[in-house]
Structures are given as C-alpha cells and as structure tokens.
Amino acid sequence: MRNATGIPLLLGLGLVTAACGGNTSPASSVRSGPATAGTNLESALHLSGTKTSLLVAGQNIPQQVNTAYYLSKSIVYVSQQDGSGPTSSILLSENGGSSWNFLSSVPGAVSGIDFVSKSIGYLVSRPADGGPDNFLYLTTNGGSTWSTVYAGSISAIKFLTPTIGFAMLRTPSSNPQLFTAGIYRTSNGGRNWSLVPSTLNPAAAYGSFSFSSASDGWLLVGIEPSAGSENKYLYKTTDAGANWSLVAQSQFSSGQQMATNGVMPATGYVTQLQFISSQQGFMSLMRSGMYATDDGGSTWNLMSATPMSAHSLRNVVHFDAWSRTDFSILTGNSNFWQTQPSGLMTRAYPPYRAQGIFEGSGALYELSPAQGISLAGSTNSVRRLGNAPKGAMEIDPLGNRILAFGTKGLYQSSDGSNWKQIPLPKGWTLIQGRFVDSKLGFVVANDNGPAGSATIERTTDGGASWNRVTTPFRPLVVDPISANDLRALGGARLPATSNPAKNIYQMEWNLYSSSNGGKSWSELVANWRSIGGIDFLSAQEGYAWADNYLYHTTDAGHSFVRYTLPSTMTNQGLFSMAFAQKGSGWALAGTEYPIYHTADGGATWRLTP
C-alpha cells in the first residue's frame, strides 16, 4: 500500500537543477562530489489505450459556485457550472449550507438568482456558445424545472412580487459596437419590459439591485474596469421604481488608494449590494472588501472590524445581511460562512479543507491547510488525529508511525499529534520524501547548492545518516518501492525562450526507473511539459497524473492506459491523488474540496461528502 507522491509544478520557473555526487554523510553534515549514472532511453510516451473517465455520482456537492440566493438563513439556492460544459446545476440547502440537494440543470452559466418565495424564482443565464442574448428563466416549483421567459441583454434582476420586477438591460445604440444601459420594469413576470426614467450612466456594464421596502430601492453599477479598480455609480428610487436618481459615485484616478472612509471607493469590482433599511446598507467589491453605509448610500466605510479575515472579505461571491452584525457569506472556493450568536463567523460548508491526501495501511489520511491530520473512514467518517508540525507539506503513513515532511524538517509521530524531529544535515531544504519502512527512506532535497538545485538522498537508519543517489536528471519526486526498485520524476531544461533576459525557460518532465538502487536509470516517459505526481503500488503497477489526464501502467511504465478525467474534477486542477490495491484511488480537487474516489482504477469516479 502506498501514498501518493506529487509536487505542483510551475512551468517556466526552472526550480530544479542537475544533481551530482555520491557520498554518505551523517545528519550533521553532507558532502558532495562529481558522479554519473547511465540512462536507458525509451524517449516517448507509449499509450496502450485511451479512455474517458466518468463522474457517476455526486451532483449534490457545491464546488464551483458562481452565485447564490438566501431566501432565509436556512434556505439557500446556488448555481454552479458543470465543469466546462454547457449547463449549470441548481442546488438547494435547507439548513444554511451544511448539506445540499440537486434540483435541476439549466443551459449556460448562471449569473444571478432571485426567489420571491420557496416556489417562485428567476435566474439569468449567459449562453455557453457566447451568443449576444442572456436568458431569463422562471421556476414555479422551487427550482425543479425552469422555463425561458425572456431573451436579451439582461444582467441584474430584482423581483418584488411574482410578476413585478426590475432589470438592467443593455440595448444596441447608434454605434453598432456599443450598448446603452437602462433600468427596466416588468409587470408580467419578465415577459415584457418597459424603460423607466433614470439618470443611469449608459455605459453601465453590470450591477446589483436591492430593495429595503416596496418603495425604497437602489442599483449599484460598475463601468470601465481597469487593473483593480472601476468607476461605480449608486442610484436610488423612493417611489417604487418609477424614477431613479444618482446618490453617489466613485472618484477614479490611477493613483487612488483603497478608500476606507466616506467616499464611494474606486478600488475593486461590483459584486453585490444589499440594504436592510432606508439608511443602512452593505456592498461587496471583489478584490477590495465589504463596505457599509448608515445614510442611505451617500457615504461608505470599509468594514474592517469583522469576524472574517480581510482576504476573505475581498473574495465575497454573495452575502446576505440579517442585521448590522449578522451575515451569511459565500466566498471563493465555495466556502459558506454564518455569524454565530457569539459574534464569531464559522464555516457551514464544506465540512473540511485538505491540501493533500495520503494512503497508508489501507486508510486515507488528509492534511488540511491549517496542518490538521485526519483519518477518513470507509463510511465517509473523518477522525481528527492532531496537527502536523508547522510548515509540513506532506505526510507519509507507515503503519505504526506517521512521518511529516516540511521544507526545513523531517518529523515522526506514533499518533499524529506528538512529534519528534529527525535532524537533517545543515542547509538542507526538503522538496519531497517517501519512506519504505521505518528505516529505509528517500528524499529530494536542495543540499546547500545554488537556488533550485536538488538531489535524491537515501537513509537506511531512519534519518541518522544519508547517502546520495546519483541521477543523470534533475530530480523532483522520488517514489521508492523497495531498496532497489525506484521511480522518480525528473526534468531537463528546454532551450531558452524568446525572453532570456528574465531567465525564463521551460522544463520537460520524464518518468525514470531504477532496479538497482539508483546505480542506473531508464527513462520511461518523455516530453511531459507539466506533471502532477506519481504513485507506484509495485514494480509493475503505477499511476501518474498530468493536467486533465490519469495514466495507469501494469508493465512497469513501458506503456500506459490514459484516462481523460472529468472536467468537473480538473477545472481548478488537482492537488493530489493517492492509490491502493485493486483499483482503489482518491483525487483531491484544486479547490481543496471535495475528494473523489474510484474503485476501478480511474474509469469511474464518485464525489465523497
């Protein structure tokens, strides 16, 4: 049983350089000297078959949510695009986001949802083919089915009743390349729209409506986005939408700093507006933060004293304010947050975040971004073991002990909470590591060399001393099967790009095999421009993954079956994968949640809660 070995690679950075030398050294010091090793080249990736993996279950897990609507603190509707496909899924939670049910699919990418009751709601969807018209859809059964009621350049919407609503529409102008924005009203459920008087800037590109009562409403729009900033205009109605006038606007200048008091900020991009009374309102600006007003929108102040971090508030996808201090917030990577009675903001969903998954002794271990280690059970239960040492990048479960690898340290624990540091030679920076048992292990380390240099090092006494394994390539990952059978990922620097002054170049990554402990190597796969990781279960069977492909070999890497993974899994990349015997394996999405499971070697996958 093995745990996965993988390092995310950044193309063009050239972080790994050639390794050389072959001396044995105690942990307090290490010496290097010139050495060489032979290489047998197969020089090409040999595919014995190509297949497409299927995602067969799990439509009820939010993972790429792009918009949401809170009908109440408990009832939440969200949409997420189905991978890179032409449809979006509509999901419903009735417990504030803790669990979800799949309702339906609609064409295109949903940009806005608005419900007036649990049964009647509207949404706006952009066509997947990039056509000129957006589509307004209506549901009368709580989102189970949707019907088209309008097609046009419609963006922001807000319905006050099942039939009366407002929208910002952009209609063609005298210049065929430009559109003129206006505020429109419908009284028949969006089938027809009429322009209402307003001073709306005709260049408005997108916006957000909010009504605190039947008479008082606002529209926040964004115009002319630039690097981190855009002009913003806030309009208000006090006569139920019959007339609209300008309340505030940003004062844009290229040198403006983030506004924290008084003015409408130019920094950030319009995400959402909400007023909870005629005077008190809030707005979220992507890449800027959340702002509050207590005078109907004339002045705005940055909400710096909140239970959430400033980074999270600059990444708000949707929010609902229930009072001045009570919020439901959706942030990037589909994180749902709720203010608690104590005033603290806690995450309602997802139930965990992981930065890596590792298989050992038939169990799956998870390492969280906060360094927590958990053991995932066979029934989707998760048992917290403890915290890994600070700075741990990966763990290696070895039966009765767990190893943790950090850039500056190697640690061991019998329970996942109490750790003992294993001294490393002075100046080492660990890149990756793997042990076969409690004594025999291998690491890839930068050994006092120039920035980016790396070598493979072996220990046979649990880390007390190390011996260099000579490689004729630039090692990035080592995956030992036994003392003699080794697999490694290594790279070669490609010719300089057209911009050599900035030292930018690409790497070509290959899979290497050794059957004599590293004395000689065979290059099994060539010409990978990017690679996620490898996991070999035996000398014959192993897996590799790169971009949106999974490769499976049963002949020691001489040929592979290549699976094209579902786009839902790979849209945000894959953090790590782990495999066990009999076709069992796991994949962690690049959004840190969820974990996918396969029981047939990658042919089919299921989302795990």
Side-chain angles (χ1 to χ4, degrees):
M1 303 293 245
R2 310 282 297 158
N3 64 281
T5 299
I7 297 288
L9 306 183
L10 299 178
L11 295 182
L13 294 182
L15 299 180
V16 183
T17 58
C20 60
N23 296 309
T24 302
S25 305
S28 59
S29 64
V30 67
R31 301 183 301 276
S32 61
T36 59
T39 306
N40 298 317
L41 301 180
E42 294 195 5
S43 73
L45 174 63
H46 298 284
L47 297 180
S48 59
T50 58
K51 301 180 180 181
T52 299
S53 298
L54 298 177
L55 186 61
V56 297
Q59 290 179 295
N60 60 336
I61 296 183
Q63 49 188 322
Q64 299 177 43
V65 173
N66 51 21
T67 189
Y69 184 83
Y70 280 78
L71 188 60
S72 66
K73 275 190 181 183
S74 299
I75 300 174
V76 192
Y77 297 88
V78 302
S79 74
Q80 63 178 7
Q81 194 163 3
D82 299 326
S84 57
T87 61
S88 293
S89 294
I90 308 300
L91 308 179
L92 169 66
S93 174
E94 297 185 282
N95 54 15
S98 296
S99 61
W100 297 86
N101 294 309
F102 172 79
L103 294 178
S104 55
S105 291
V106 295
V110 176
S111 60
I113 301 176
D114 188 27
F115 273 76
V116 295
S117 68
K118 195 174 180 181
S119 58
I120 299 175
Y122 294 85
L123 64 80
V124 175
S125 179
R126 299 186 298 270
D129 61 5
D133 291 336
N134 292 341
F135 292 86
L136 179 67
Y137 290 87
L138 166 69
T139 181
T140 57
N141 54 16
S144 296
T145 59
W146 299 83
S147 59
T148 306
V149 294
Y150 182 81
S153 186
I154 185 172
S155 55
I157 60 169
K158 182 60 186 177
F159 279 81
L160 306 183
T161 72
T163 56
I164 297 175
F166 293 87
M168 189 176 80
L169 292 171
R170 301 173 71 232
T171 57
S173 68
S174 57
N175 184 335
Q177 303 300 319
L178 300 176
F179 288 80
T180 298
I183 300 174
Y184 289 75
R185 182 180 185 274
T186 181
S187 58
N188 61 1
R191 290 169 175 79
N192 302 101
W193 297 87
S194 57
L195 182 66
V196 299
S198 73
T199 57
L200 181 67
N201 190 311
Y206 47 89
S208 175
F209 282 99
S210 179
F211 278 77
S212 65
S213 67
S215 58
D216 294 329
W218 292 260
L219 170 62
L220 175 65
V221 300
I223 300 172
E224 301 173 4
S226 61
S229 302
E230 69 180 354
N231 288 319
K232 303 175 186 70
Y233 297 80
L234 180 65
Y235 301 88
K236 182 178 181 180
T237 179
T238 57
D239 56 9
N243 297 276
W244 297 77
S245 58
L246 182 66
V247 175
Q249 71 180 79
S250 60
Q251 301 297 319
F252 177 79
S253 66
S254 59
Q256 181 177 344
Q257 301 297 313
M258 179 181 287
T260 58
N261 291 292
V263 301
M264 169 77 70
T267 55
Y269 307 115
V270 170
T271 302
Q272 188 189 345
L273 175 74
Q274 185 186 5
F275 275 79
I276 59 176
S277 71
S278 62
Q279 300 298 310
Q280 195 168 80
F282 309 89
M283 67 177 175
S284 60
L285 304 178
M286 187 65 69
R287 298 189 183 180
S288 181
M290 288 190 65
Y291 294 79
T293 180
D294 293 302
D295 57 11
S298 298
T299 60
W300 294 86
N301 296 305
L302 182 67
M303 297 174 61
S304 57
T306 67
M308 296 184 67
S309 69
H311 171 75
S312 295
L313 291 178
R314 289 193 294 270
N315 195 26
V316 172
V317 176
H318 179 90
F319 74 90
D320 266 273
W322 312 107
S323 73
R324 188 67 168 81
T325 58
D326 189 7
F327 294 87
S328 299
I329 296 179
L330 166 63
T331 59
N333 286 349
S334 304
N335 286 286
F336 291 81
W337 305 84
Q338 178 61 56
T339 306
Q340 301 302 313
S342 64
L344 296 177
M345 184 74 72
T346 59
R347 190 177 66 204
Y349 187 90
Y352 64 85
R353 287 289 185 193
Q355 70 175 26
I357 52 175
F358 310 90
E359 191 276 337
S361 303
L364 185 69
Y365 294 76
E366 303 163 4
L367 178 64
S368 77
Q371 314 280 232
I373 298 177
S374 299
L375 178 63
S378 58
T379 59
N380 295 325
S381 61
V382 177
R383 178 166 61 92
R384 178 68 176 267
L385 299 180
N387 287 327
K390 184 177 181 180
M393 302 177 300
E394 60 182 27
I395 60 175
D396 192 358
L398 288 172
N400 61 353
R401 72 165 62 183
I402 301 175
L403 295 177
F405 299 86
T407 56
K408 297 297 183 182
L410 175 61
Y411 308 84
Q412 64 177 347
S413 171
S414 60
D415 56 8
S417 60
N418 299 299
W419 295 90
K420 176 184 177 181
Q421 186 169 5
I422 301 173
L424 294 175
K426 184 178 180 181
W428 269 25
T429 298
L430 290 186
I431 297 174
Q432 176 267 336
R434 176 68 56 79
F435 273 59
V436 177
D437 54 42
S438 61
K439 298 295 184 181
L440 177 62
F442 297 78
V443 297
V444 178
N446 187 332
D447 176 17
N448 287 303
S453 66
T455 59
I456 295 179
E457 307 284 345
R458 176 201 291 114
T459 180
T460 57
D461 52 16
S465 62
W466 297 87
N467 177 63
R468 183 157 301 169
V469 177
T470 305
T471 59
F473 51 85
R474 304 176 182 189
L476 183 70
V477 166
V478 60
D479 187 13
I481 301 164
S482 66
N484 289 322
D485 285 320
L486 309 179
R487 299 294 183 272
L489 288 175
R493 179 172 171 170
L494 297 180
T497 67
S498 58
N499 194 8
K502 292 185 178 180
N503 197 30
I504 297 175
Y505 56 88
Q506 287 185 322
M507 296 291 291
E508 182 177 86
W509 305 102
N510 311 305
L511 175 63
Y512 295 89
S513 171
S514 176
S515 59
N516 54 16
K519 294 178 182 179
S520 61
W521 294 86
S522 295
E523 183 182 286
L524 300 177
V525 176
N527 305 326
W528 269 323
R529 292 296 178 90
S530 65
I531 183 69
I534 56 175
D535 190 6
F536 272 75
L537 308 178
S538 68
Q540 296 297 312
E541 184 180 14
Y543 296 85
W545 54 97
D547 297 324
N548 62 327
Y549 297 115
L550 173 67
Y551 300 85
H552 182 206
T553 180
T554 55
D555 61 4
H558 298 290
S559 65
F560 289 84
V561 174
R562 187 183 70 188
Y563 293 92
T564 301
L565 295 171
S567 59
T568 302
M569 293 176 57
T570 59
N571 255 4
Q572 304 297 320
L574 289 174
F575 267 160
S576 63
M577 303 186 83
F579 291 88
Q581 302 291 344
K582 298 181 180 180
S584 186
W586 299 265
L588 173 63
T591 51
E592 301 178 347
Y593 181 87
I595 293 173
Y596 305 86
H597 180 253
T598 179
D600 52 19
T604 58
W605 295 85
R606 295 175 181 270
L607 291 167
T608 61

